[in-house]
């Protein structure tokens, strides 16, 4: 018979109730014994560019939702974690990432920034420590009251004593921490914040990053305006004053279809000026993070067998509702963009992609076998995440469908703010769901079939083409070639395949998409009759949360020419690299607790590159929206 808790705050010795987690699974954090960040060598300037990994979407206790959910970490903790050092989780156990990142940004919500922390309100957590509530007690006493406090909290700065001062102090600490932790050549920090527009609970959030140390006296807040155009007004004014910046939309998957719609925020029609402003201010979109993926959706890409990956489409409001897929996913946005290029002569959706976590634990929880959640009261331990030691109503058990994701991959000449920012601006970036898969992707004309085997392949690829994020000039009759190569993450699964996803617009202005498998592991080939590719297999052992790299390949590559190219059709192309199946975080958690794993037991992690665009010659909108 196990010690069990069957109701909030009541401990009973009864069989069949939810067991309390073993506290030895979560050794208490000891700062004197904490692992220090490793010493890293600085990288030198490289014109062929370095691959740098980062997370530019990290929250600390300065964010209202993080603080109310128990987080007490500060920006210095976030940067210590990103550098590979150990920090305290909100439940007081130690957490660290297995390999340091190259860059990071703390992007706390600008709305009421630091106000709740400054107030130190008498919330339910004050009764007992979060560690006691999560690990030692089991179910959390007053959990629902706590969550209602978080959901309903709407402080008015003018009514909160010291609110404005708390906001100013928090912003200055975010700036100071970024400056303290910036180590050019070794580790890069960006000063930033999150603008959190939520009309009718639909997510229209943007993360704002600054290229240097010149930043405004205060971040722009959605309490001033929820309209993205007003944010752009502010960012454009700041750039005129020497504060270079950009904004990165995220979580289009829960935007209610508004993130990438065919109308502006106020419902008016888009025009060329709007498209140009959107792309100048928002050259990137975040498509992988804890709250689901925003690449594509099965309803939008029914012929894509890999579209159903870490889909999260629940909008939290007074009534739980599903988010509209149309207008919420990047591939659909790219298709809408080329349709508008065809019909309207402008393209508001010529953006690149990255991943980042949206962690609220002052950390980057991207590793499936080392996952520690997003919001402690909802997913701070394995038992809570799997619904074994906390009996939350179904409405609040959303963390089971959150994922351990994602990371931003940037091809930059140096590990500095300027170089990484400029790479983001030119969209030479890609998104990973977590693993550090190396991917290069170029498009050009008349690439030799052995390009990838040549020592000077980067120089040759750029001489007659462009890297990911670029645009090919109009063609006469030759089809473009694409060179793509990928190398597995040495600490993750082998590679299953490389795909190139093409979207194009026909003469009637209708867009289409097609997926080409351009490189397959294990010598597999398509069935000549059905066109299907045999599955790579699955070595995952659910009971032990393990797998073997006996299938798949360490690296894959291809030089591929579009067999269906028509020079009069505007198109985009991007690469997607897919791993063999590996255990999901929930499978690792289940093995830790000795429980049966939930579905899906395994997932196929991936990397998705920024697109390369081809603009047809007869379309006068060529180049608009760059």
């Amino acid at each position: 018979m196990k010690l069990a808790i069957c109701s909030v705050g009541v401990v009973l010795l009864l069989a069949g109730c939810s067991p309390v987690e073993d506290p030895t699974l979560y050794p208490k954090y000891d700062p004197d014994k904490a692992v220090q960040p490793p010493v890293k060598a600085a990288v030198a300037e490289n014109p062929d560019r370095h691959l740098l990994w980062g997370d530019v979407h990290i929250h600390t206790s300065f964010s209202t939702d993080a603080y109310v959910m128990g987080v007490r970490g500060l920006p210095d903790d976030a940067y210590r974690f990103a550098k590979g050092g150990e920090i305290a989780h909100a439940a007081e156990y130690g957490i660290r990432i297995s390999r340091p990142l190259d860059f990071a940004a703390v992007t706390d919500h600008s709305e009421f920034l630091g106000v709740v922390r400054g107030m130190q309100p008498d919330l339910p957590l004050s009764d007992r420590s979060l560690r006691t509530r999560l690990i030692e007690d089991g179910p959390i006493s007053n959990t629902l009251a706590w969550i209602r406090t978080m959901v309903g909290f709407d402080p008015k700065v003018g009514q909160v004593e010291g609110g404005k001062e708390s906001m100013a102090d928090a912003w200055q600490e975010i700036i100071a921490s970024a400056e303290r932790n910036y180590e050019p050549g070794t580790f890069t920090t960006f000063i930033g914040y999150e603008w959190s527009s939520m009309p009718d609970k639909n997510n229209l959030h943007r993360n704002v990053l600054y290229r240097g140390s010149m930043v405004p006296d205060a971040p722009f807040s959605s309490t001033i305006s929820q309209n993205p155009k007003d944010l752009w007004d502010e960012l454009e004014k700041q750039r005129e004053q020497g504060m270079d910046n950009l904004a990165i939309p995220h979580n289009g998957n829960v935007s209610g279809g508004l993130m990438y719609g065919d109308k502006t925020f106020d419902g008016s029609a888009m025009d060329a000026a709007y498209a140009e402003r959107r792309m100048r201010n928002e050259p990137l979109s975040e498509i992988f993070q804890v709250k689901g993926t925003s690449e594509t959706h099965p309803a939008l890409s029914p012929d894509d067998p890999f579209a159903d990956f870490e889909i999260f489409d629940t909008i939290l409001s007074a009534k739980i509702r599903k988010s509209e897929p149309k207008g919420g996913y990047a591939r659909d946005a790219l298709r809408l963009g080329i349709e508008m290029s065809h019909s309207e002569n402008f393209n508001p959706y010529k953006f690149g992609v990255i991943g980042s976590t949206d962690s609220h634990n002052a950390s980057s929880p991207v590793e499936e076998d080392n996952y520690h959640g997003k919001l402690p009261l909802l997913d701070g331990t394995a038992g809570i995440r799997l619904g074994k030691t906390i009996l939350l109503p179904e409405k609040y058990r959303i963390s089971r469908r959150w994922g351990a994701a994602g990371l931003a991959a940037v091809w930059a000449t140096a590990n500095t703010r300027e170089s990484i920012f400029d790479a983001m601006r030119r969209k030479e970036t890609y998104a990973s769901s977590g693993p550090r898969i190396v991917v290069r992707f170029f498009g050009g004309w008349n690439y030799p079939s052995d390009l990838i085997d040549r020592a000077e392949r980067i120089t040759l690829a750029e001489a007659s083409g462009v890297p990911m994020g670029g645009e090919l000039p109009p063609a006469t009759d030759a089809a473009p070639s694409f060179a793509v190569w990928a190398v597995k993450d040495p600490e993750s699964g082998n590679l299953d395949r490389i795909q190139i996803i093409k979207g194009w617009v026909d003469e009637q202005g209708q867009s289409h998409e097609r997926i080409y498998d351009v490189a397959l592991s294990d010598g597999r080939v398509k069935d000549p009759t059905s066109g299907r590719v045999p599955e790579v297999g699955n070595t995952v052992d659910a009971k032990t949360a393990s797998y073997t790299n006996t299938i798949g390949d360490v690296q894959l590559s291809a030089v591929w020419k579009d067999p269906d190219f028509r020079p009069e059709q505007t198109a985009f192309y991007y690469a997607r690299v897919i791993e063999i199946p590996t255990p999901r975080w929930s499978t690792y958690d289940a093995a830790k607790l000795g429980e049966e794993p939930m579905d899906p037991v395994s997932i196929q992690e991936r990397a998705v590159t920024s697109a390369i665009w081809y603009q047809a010659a007869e379309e006068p909108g060529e180049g608009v929206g760059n």
Side-chain angles (χ1 to χ4, degrees):
M1 186 177 296
K2 295 180 179 179
L3 176 66
I5 299 181
C6 302
S7 62
V8 173
V10 180
V11 180
L12 300 173
L13 291 174
L14 295 174
C17 301
S18 299
V20 175
E21 286 179 86
D22 182 353
T24 62
L25 294 174
Y26 303 96
K28 195 162 184 179
Y29 176 75
D30 183 345
D32 295 328
K33 297 179 181 178
V35 178
Q36 299 301 310
V39 176
K40 286 178 61 182
V43 296
E45 187 86 13
N46 179 5
D48 284 342
R49 298 180 285 288
H50 297 282
L51 175 57
L52 302 175
W53 292 98
D55 183 357
V56 292
H57 192 173
I58 305 170
H59 293 267
T60 75
S61 59
F62 287 145
S63 290
T64 297
D65 51 354
Y67 188 88
V68 173
M69 280 289 175
V71 175
R72 298 297 181 265
L74 290 166
D76 278 350
D77 297 305
Y79 292 128
R80 176 183 170 87
F81 183 95
K83 290 179 180 181
E86 185 180 8
I87 66 171
H89 183 273
E92 299 177 50
Y93 57 86
I95 55 174
R96 64 186 294 259
I97 197 167
S98 66
R99 289 168 288 174
L101 299 177
D102 299 304
F103 63 94
V106 169
T107 53
D108 279 309
H109 296 290
S110 58
E111 295 73 25
F112 317 115
L113 180 70
V115 170
V116 183
R117 182 181 176 92
M119 291 168 55
Q120 296 185 334
D122 184 19
L123 295 173
L125 183 62
S126 61
D127 297 340
R128 292 190 309 285
S129 75
L130 187 63
R131 179 178 179 84
T132 299
R133 290 168 178 276
L134 296 186
I135 297 171
E136 297 170 13
D137 281 6
I140 304 170
S141 180
N142 299 320
T143 295
L144 294 184
W146 186 279
I147 291 174
R148 291 190 190 102
T149 302
M150 186 274 288
V151 173
F153 187 75
D154 185 21
K156 300 293 186 284
V157 175
Q159 299 173 5
V160 175
E161 184 177 352
K164 292 182 178 179
E165 292 79 4
S166 293
M167 292 176 70
D169 290 346
W171 179 235
Q172 288 306 310
E173 177 54 25
I174 288 170
I175 296 169
S177 180
E179 299 291 73
R180 278 193 300 271
N181 287 280
Y182 181 30
E183 302 170 15
T186 303
F187 181 78
T188 291
T189 61
F190 289 98
I191 301 169
Y193 64 90
E194 181 173 338
W195 175 80
S196 311
S197 176
M198 288 283 287
D200 193 28
K201 301 296 183 182
N202 296 304
N203 187 304
L204 293 181
H205 298 195
R206 270 80 168 168
N207 291 327
V208 175
L209 303 181
Y210 290 88
R211 187 174 186 265
S213 299
M214 290 185 62
V215 299
D217 293 335
F220 190 74
S221 168
S222 66
T223 59
I224 300 171
S225 173
Q226 295 199 79
N227 190 333
K229 289 202 291 186
D230 292 327
L231 172 66
W232 303 343
D233 285 343
E234 185 66 23
L235 298 182
E236 288 164 1
K237 290 175 186 176
Q238 292 171 8
R239 288 199 295 273
E240 291 174 358
Q241 299 168 19
M243 305 177 207
D244 203 357
N245 57 54
L246 56 79
I248 305 173
H250 72 85
N251 272 137
N253 56 311
V254 285
S255 69
L258 299 180
M259 185 67 81
Y260 308 116
D262 60 359
K263 297 287 191 298
T264 68
F265 179 83
D266 61 10
S268 59
M270 297 181 186
D271 57 20
Y274 174 92
E276 192 277 332
R277 288 191 72 198
R278 179 155 188 158
M279 288 299 90
R280 186 171 68 243
N281 286 287
E282 300 179 0
L284 300 176
S285 276
E286 177 191 295
I287 63 167
F288 291 143
Q289 69 135 271
V290 169
K291 296 199 307 295
T293 63
S294 300
E295 182 210 352
T296 193
H297 187 282
L300 301 172
S301 301
D303 296 327
D304 182 352
F306 293 96
D308 190 12
F309 175 71
E310 294 295 308
I311 297 296
F312 181 79
D313 56 4
T314 301
I315 293 178
L316 284 177
S317 57
K319 273 193 172 182
I320 296 286
R321 58 188 170 91
K322 293 292 186 181
S323 182
E324 167 61 41
K326 185 71 175 172
Y329 290 81
R331 190 189 303 174
D332 183 60
L334 297 180
R335 288 182 57 174
L336 176 58
I338 58 174
E339 287 179 355
M340 298 182 79
S341 176
H342 179 90
S343 62
E344 307 291 341
N345 298 331
F346 58 78
N347 185 347
Y349 297 125
K350 197 176 285 188
F351 55 79
V353 297
I354 63 166
S356 282
T357 64
D358 195 11
S359 165
H360 283 55
N361 272 315
S363 61
S364 299
V366 298
E367 298 167 330
E368 303 289 337
D369 62 347
N370 186 28
Y371 183 60
H372 51 264
K374 171 185 170 71
L375 287 166
L377 284 180
L378 294 183
D379 63 358
T381 70
I384 297 173
R385 289 190 289 271
L386 297 184
K388 302 299 180 182
T389 58
I390 178 170
L391 307 180
L392 286 175
E394 187 66 27
K395 175 177 181 177
Y396 295 112
R397 295 176 65 183
I398 57 175
S399 63
R400 291 173 296 174
R401 293 188 289 116
W402 289 345
L407 287 177
V410 175
W411 286 104
T413 57
N415 191 348
T416 63
R417 285 177 177 168
E418 296 79 10
S419 181
I420 296 172
F421 186 95
D422 292 348
M424 290 180 178
R425 175 67 71 185
R426 67 176 181 267
K427 298 171 281 197
E428 198 169 352
T429 61
Y430 62 96
S432 168
S433 61
R436 303 187 194 186
I437 306 168
V438 178
V439 188
R440 295 212 86 160
F441 181 52
F442 292 89
W445 307 105
N446 302 313
Y447 281 165
S449 60
D450 65 345
L451 171 67
I452 293 169
D453 299 322
R454 299 189 185 187
E456 68 278 22
R457 58 187 176 181
I458 304 298
T459 301
L460 291 173
E462 293 188 321
S464 62
V466 295
M468 60 182 79
E471 181 173 326
L472 291 169
T476 52
D477 56 358
S481 298
F482 296 89
V484 57
W485 58 96
V487 181
K488 74 176 292 283
D489 180 337
E491 297 188 13
S492 190
N494 281 343
L495 304 182
D496 169 6
R497 67 188 72 196
I498 298 177
Q499 300 175 314
I500 290 180
I501 288 86
K502 176 187 178 182
W504 75 96
V505 61
D506 62 25
E507 289 74 10
Q508 288 72 45
Q510 179 65 46
S511 69
H512 307 269
E513 66 181 57
R514 184 169 297 160
I515 301 169
Y516 300 87
D517 292 295
V518 301
L520 299 170
S521 67
D522 299 327
R524 291 173 296 152
V525 296
K526 289 184 181 180
D527 183 286
T529 303
S530 67
R532 294 180 180 176
V533 174
E535 293 186 3
V536 70
N538 191 330
T539 68
V540 171
D541 182 325
K543 185 175 181 180
T544 61
S546 61
Y547 69 98
T548 63
N549 272 321
T550 53
I551 57 175
D553 284 359
V554 171
Q555 56 185 344
L556 293 170
S557 63
V559 176
W560 175 81
K561 182 175 285 189
D562 181 1
D564 305 305
F565 179 73
R566 294 177 59 179
E568 70 275 12
Q569 294 179 340
T570 292
F572 65 81
Y573 305 81
Y574 68 84
R576 184 169 66 182
V577 182
I578 298 180
E579 286 188 353
I580 66 171
T582 54
R584 189 174 185 263
W585 66 260
S586 48
T587 303
Y588 285 107
D589 277 358
K592 182 187 297 185
L593 298 177
E595 300 281 348
E596 287 295 316
M598 58 181 278
D599 288 329
V601 169
S602 63
I603 58 173
Q604 290 189 258
E605 305 264 26
R606 59 202 60 196
V608 172
T609 73
S610 293
I612 293 173
W613 287 264
Y614 166 76
Q615 185 74 41
E618 70 271 18
E619 294 191 18
E622 178 189 341
V624 173
N626 253 348

